[in-house]
Amino acid sequence: MSAGPGSANPRIVRSPHELVSADTYVDLAPIVERQVFLKCEGLNFGGSIKMRAAAAMVAAAERASSIRDETILVESSSGNLGVALSIIAASKGLRFTCVTDSRCNATTAAAMRAFGAELVVVDEPDPVGGYLQARLNLVARLCAGDSRYLWLNQYTNGANCDAHYDSTAREIFTGFPDLDVLFVGVGTGGTAVGCGRYVRDRRPRTRVVAIDTEGSVTFGHPSAPRRIPGLGASVPPPMFELGLFADTVSVSEADTIQVCRLLASHGMLFGGSTGTVLSGALTWLDHHDPDRRLNSMCISADMGDRYLDTVYNDEWVAEHFGVAALEPMPGTARSRAAAPATT
């Protein structure tokens, strides 16, 4: 197929999972008055960074000849990985079952069903491990009862980390070789560990700071209820390696909401994990870079369209976090932007 007149190296893909690289960055200096860049990972068919992990895990299963005609892919997901796997399964003519829970928003669930996925929704959390453990238990029961199920298991699958070592981190440091600090959120640990290992092996002068949400057990804190999906875990993620990181920061969900709304007030609608990572980055930089000399990068996992009924909805925010969470962030450029009002 030839490009039309005037076309300069157009990118053409035959399958949706081929579109995973992200060369788009936002310079946040005009908003946060620091040299902070945001790597936009939501600009693909799955709408999130999880397309990288999904594509890598399916490819690894294919190389191992683990996928047969009767195979049903199955995975536990709070949303984004489920969408990514739904897309890949549809493009390859495979069946996919997503085990999710009641926190998965309606838009995400509808997207998975549109791609032909089957959803199994867990309504009751495990008494100790919360919704995540309840989902894992259900996946294990499904696999034990039917040999057609193939659990990709993002929580222990090495391809999850490798995807970010081989692509995400490589892209960042190709474009920003002099980066001082990389801030990355922790969910399963795949993105954080993959990037952390890359920095350890190839860019040791760069500090990597892991960001998580309050209520998550990943950094050794007690479990507490969390309402915004994406980051955090109620069961310690097996792949997480604390020693890869120069520091860790835990962020309240109220702060997550304020940062998301700050970005929205400047015309950029990002997901909850982006607000968490940027909030943690600003907190860390306020303590460790008072002279504002460091060049830093935050990884944005997804865009904000799946959060319109929660993070960007005034009534939902006020109900769960109080009206104070609707106030603009304090301090310099952050306080000059009013939070958008939606109902």
Side-chain angles (χ1 to χ4, degrees), residues 164-182:
H164 301 290
Y165 187 107
D166 295 334
S167 62
T168 311
R170 191 182 304 277
E171 289 171 9
I172 290 171
F173 288 98
T174 298
F176 299 82
D178 298 323
L179 196 64
D180 295 306
V181 193
L182 175 63

Side-chain angles (χ1 to χ4, degrees), residues 41-42 46-50 77-81 83 103-109 213 226-232 253 256-257 259-261 264 268-277 299-317 320-321 326 340-343:
E41 286 286 320
S48 83
I49 196 171
K50 290 294 188 177
S77 172
S78 62
N80 281 337
L81 184 70
V83 172
R103 296 172 303 174
C104 179
N105 66 61
T107 301
T108 300
T213 184
R226 291 173 289 112
R227 299 185 181 278
I228 302 174
L231 301 184
E253 290 189 316
T256 290
I257 290 166
V259 171
C260 284
R261 285 166 165 251
M268 294 174 286
L269 202 68
F270 287 102
S273 58
T274 302
T276 302
V277 173
I299 297 178
S300 167
D302 60 2
M303 308 306 286
D305 54 308
R306 295 169 186 166
Y307 302 83
L308 291 173
D309 291 335
T310 54
V311 170
Y312 297 103
N313 184 290
D314 284 1
E315 292 181 358
W316 185 89
V317 171
H320 296 293
F321 299 97
L326 299 172
T342 61
T343 57

